[in-house]
Amino acid sequence: MDFSYLTNNPGTVLAALGQHIEITALTLAIAIVIAVPLGTLIARISILYTPVLGILGIIYTIPSFALLGFLIQYVGIGIRSSLVALVAYAQFMLVLSVATGLRGVDSAVIDAGRGMGMTDRQILFRIEYPLALPVMVAGLRVATVATIAIASVAALDDAGGLGALLFDGINNSFASTSEVQVGAIAVSLLAIAADLLLRAAQRAVPAARAG
Amino acid sequence: MPDIRFERVTKAYGGSGPDTPAAVHDVTLAIPEGDLVVLLGPSGCGKTTMLRMVNRLIEPTSGQIYIGEREIHEIPATDLRRHIGYVIQQTGLFPHYTVEQNVAVVPKLLGWPREKTQERVQELLELVDLPPDQFRGRYPRQLSGGQQQRVGIARAMAADPTVMLMDEPFGAIDAITRADLQNELKRIQAQVHKTIVFVTHDVEEALKLADRIAVMRTGQVVQYDTPLVLLSRPADEFVSSLLGARDILRRMSLIPVASIMEAPGENPSHVTVAPDANLRDVLSALVAAGAQEAAVRDGAGQAVGRVTLARLLADAAHPEQLATAGS
Ligand SMILES: Nc1ncnc2c1ncn2[C@@H]1O[C@H](COP(=O)(O)OP(=O)(O)OP(=O)(O)O)[C@@H](O)[C@H]1O
Ligand SMILES: [Mg+2]
């Protein structure tokens, strides 16, 4: 391993890492805001379940290069195209986990809640979401790791991030293997760290104790 | 405590065409205030549908349901439900809530102050025989099935509802624990006198708990009376065979009164049976006189023992025991 790039350019690496985290966080925030209502909707209205997940599943399988190239044509180059692509990728896992989590909530528990006079809203927020949370966090874990990986491609879009080190290193005719290695290791470590963090979060949610 | 009245209530589920009978068909039924009424009948006869119409989890197709003076549809569904206790077979305890939080659900919905809720939880856990210090902080999965259902009952009683609906509450519980819980419910009911609608298809349970039993068949109530009358004068073959009345009566006729007789009380009943009478004779005498208790008198008219209706029914509800006692 050659860490010379890191020791020579600590500022650049740190900035790239910061950008990568930023893109990932922004992606997940937007993706969750869309996925929670969408997942809730398809868990409720079962005729929507298969078509919505079908479409999201197809998006999920499009290679990220292809999707990004396509979006750059329509949305233009810049972070916006990357965000659209990343959010679209994350939808499948997130919507699936929200819907699966909600569908897995014991109907007797919901019936008891309704029978005691809880409103639909109270049932959703006090029973269904808390009980679906372990499954939702599991989905978030997968989506986070995937987003961190795919966000490397965002460098193509001038959005920066650790992907910039990778592409830069590969494209540069004076190929700096160290730059590629540092970029790759940094992305991997980031993904592992995020996974561990969310795994801990998963264990900490109250419903996991109840399971 | 208010009474509950069904007036010409029908429920036809969406799918049922003209050929499918309604789940509940034109039922009129009055449940007296403070009584425990059992809805008894085979699977699919409409018991759960009847029960869930009372708290509007199911809306009737036609007819009215009154609780006291008010037709239930005058009351917003959530308000209505907060004032009706609801217990189901699967308990439906919130797995992410502690025992204390579970019992406090309705008080919280009603906006009770914290202190009052805490006191009430304490009181209720004591009532259902779960020492609060030991159980308050546990999660449902840390309880046995019987303990879970005790919490379910405490939760249903939390805001002191006047009406309770119980749908096979002990159906998933082993026989020994079930008997415990039945006794517990009887004890609690003797204290609180709620108006309780209790669904079961367990005949023994019905005989043991009910003030009155409504026997249902395909959406209709075929007979509605006290356990005693149902046993001794079943309206038809269906009721008779559902209750196993013939078997119970036959066994009763084999058992001498002496075997369940207690020492004579202070004021012996005017209903008299002979010391060599059998339990069936006692039953007939009690039904004829509409009495709760009979005195066993010897040839000289001296009271030598007493038999209570409760004891008679409790034993009638346990044919195995009767069989052994009789042999
Ligand atoms: N949601 C529903 N949609 C359509 N039909 C229903 C629905 N719920 C119940 N039924 C039908 O209505 C009838 C009465 O059902 P109900 O649940 O009241 O029976 P039950 O007496 O409680 O039976 P069990 O002892 O098995 O619980 C049954 O024939 C059942 O198939
Ligand atoms: Mg039922």
Side-chain angles (χ1 to χ4, degrees):
Chain A
M1 285 290 151
D2 175 4
F3 291 110
S4 58
Y5 186 82
L6 177 61
T7 39
N8 295 336
N9 311 279
T12 316
V13 175
L14 219 57
L17 181 67
Q19 278 171 341
H20 209 100
I21 293 173
E22 206 175 306
I23 295 167
T24 304
L26 198 57
T27 298
L28 292 172
I30 297 169
I32 288 170
V33 168
I34 299 170
V36 170
L38 189 57
T40 307
L41 189 76
I42 67 167
R44 287 286 144 85
I45 305 173
S46 47
I47 51 163
L48 293 179
Y49 185 85
T50 312
V52 168
L53 282 175
I55 293 166
L56 294 177
I58 290 168
I59 295 174
Y60 191 64
T61 56
I62 300 174
S64 43
F65 275 104
L67 184 62
L68 193 60
F70 178 79
L71 283 168
I72 286 172
Q73 293 192 352
Y74 288 91
V75 186
I77 201 153
I79 192 166
R80 272 197 303 166
S81 291
S82 297
L83 278 178
V84 172
L86 289 170
V87 168
Y89 277 117
Q91 283 312 297
F92 179 67
M93 273 319 300
L94 293 178
V95 172
L96 179 67
S97 64
V98 170
T100 308
L102 288 177
R103 283 180 153 205
V105 175
D106 182 358
S107 61
V109 174
I110 296 173
D111 184 54
R114 181 160 294 123
M116 286 189 291
M118 295 175 88
T119 62
D120 288 344
R121 217 186 142 74
Q122 287 166 335
I123 290 171
L124 186 62
F125 284 95
R126 296 188 195 176
I127 303 179
E128 298 188 271
Y129 283 147
L131 290 179
L133 200 58
V135 179
M136 297 199 287
V137 175
L140 180 63
R141 243 178 89 189
V142 177
T144 304
V145 172
T147 302
I148 289 172
I150 301 171
S152 308
V153 183
L156 286 181
D157 193 21
D158 268 355
L162 294 166
L165 304 186
L166 294 174
F167 290 122
D168 199 38
I170 292 168
N171 291 339
N172 200 325
S173 41
F174 304 99
S176 155
T177 44
S178 177
E179 187 174 357
V180 176
Q181 283 180 8
V182 167
I185 288 170
V187 171
S188 309
L189 287 180
L190 182 59
I192 291 167
D195 192 50
L196 288 176
L197 201 71
L198 282 165
R199 190 188 298 219
Q202 215 174 338
R203 267 196 292 259
V205 289
R209 261 184 285 137
Chain B
M1 302 291 128
D3 58 337
I4 304 170
R5 279 169 296 130
F6 291 80
E7 287 184 4
R8 307 206 57 176
V9 173
T10 292
K11 173 66 191 183
Y13 285 104
S16 36
D19 297 340
T20 8
V24 169
H25 183 69
D26 199 20
V27 168
T28 297
L29 185 73
I31 294 166
E33 152 179 346
D35 269 9
L36 190 155
V37 167
V38 166
L39 305 180
L40 179 70
S43 184
C45 70
K47 305 180 295 291
T48 297
T49 305
M50 284 281 287
L51 191 83
R52 286 162 65 89
M53 284 192 288
V54 177
N55 62 1
R56 294 185 58 188
L57 287 172
I58 295 175
E59 295 291 0
T61 309
S62 63
Q64 286 85 43
I65 300 170
Y66 292 88
I67 295 182
E69 290 311 301
R70 297 184 75 183
E71 211 286 324
I72 57 172
H73 295 88
E74 293 169 13
I75 309 165
T78 49
D79 282 356
L80 178 77
R81 292 173 190 150
R82 288 171 194 181
H83 293 95
I84 296 179
Y86 183 53
V87 183
I88 55 177
Q89 180 176 335
Q90 311 86 331
T91 73
L93 294 181
F94 298 173
H96 56 312
Y97 278 21
T98 61
V99 166
E100 172 158 32
Q101 290 169 324
N102 265 289
V103 177
V105 168
V106 178
K108 205 173 157 197
L109 290 173
L110 293 171
W112 284 19
R114 234 177 114 107
E115 299 243 307
K116 185 178 170 193
T117 305
Q118 269 173 353
E119 265 168 41
R120 183 66 182 154
V121 170
Q122 173 98 9
E123 187 180 309
L124 281 166
L125 290 180
E126 277 162 12
L127 183 71
V128 298
D129 208 19
L130 295 173
D133 291 337
Q134 204 179 330
F135 287 96
R136 205 192 329 252
R138 292 209 196 169
Y139 286 89
R141 70 175 167 88
Q142 299 168 317
L143 304 175
S144 71
Q147 290 166 342
Q148 287 181 14
Q149 199 52 288
R150 284 168 197 265
V151 176
I153 292 170
R155 179 174 73 168
M157 293 176 66
D160 206 10
T162 51
V163 169
M164 303 250 294
L165 307 175
M166 308 180 83
D167 195 347
E168 304 199 38
F170 312 139
I173 288 165
D174 69 90
I176 295 168
T177 314
R178 191 187 314 150
D180 280 352
L181 286 169
Q182 288 164 350
N183 295 335
E184 204 92 322
L185 179 64
K186 258 191 113 95
R187 174 180 64 76
I188 293 171
Q189 172 66 350
Q191 255 175 278
V192 297
H193 293 292
K194 309 259 180 219
T195 307
I196 301 179
V197 188
F198 188 107
V199 166
T200 184
H201 50 229
D202 176 346
V203 174
E204 293 181 27
E205 182 166 80
L207 291 174
K208 183 168 170 183
L209 295 177
D211 292 307
R212 296 172 146 259
I213 299 175
V215 178
M216 293 189 66
R217 178 189 197 181
T218 55
Q220 289 182 301
V221 173
V222 290
Q223 190 173 7
Y224 179 44
D225 221 314
T226 61
L228 197 57
V229 172
L230 284 175
L231 267 185
S232 54
R233 297 184 207 145
D236 58 19
E237 182 53 37
F238 172 78
V239 177
S240 171
S241 66
L242 180 78
L243 290 172
R246 201 161 296 136
D247 289 347
I248 292 176
L249 291 175
R250 197 182 60 237
R251 275 198 220 89
M252 287 177 89
S253 68
L254 295 174
I255 302 167
V257 68
S259 69
I260 67 159
M261 184 171 85
E262 298 162 46
E266 293 276 297
N267 301 304
S269 164
H270 64 278
V271 181
T272 297
V273 294
D276 62 350
N278 63 49
L279 297 189
R280 187 168 180 176
D281 299 331
V282 181
L283 185 69
S284 307
L286 288 175
V287 174
Q292 298 289 313
E293 183 175 331
V296 182
R297 287 194 171 83
D298 61 16
Q302 182 64 35
V304 295
R306 65 197 272 259
V307 184
T308 61
L309 180 56
R311 181 65 204 273
L312 199 66
L313 282 175
D315 283 10
H318 290 284
E320 335 67 65
Q321 283 173 20
L322 281 177
T324 15
S327 62

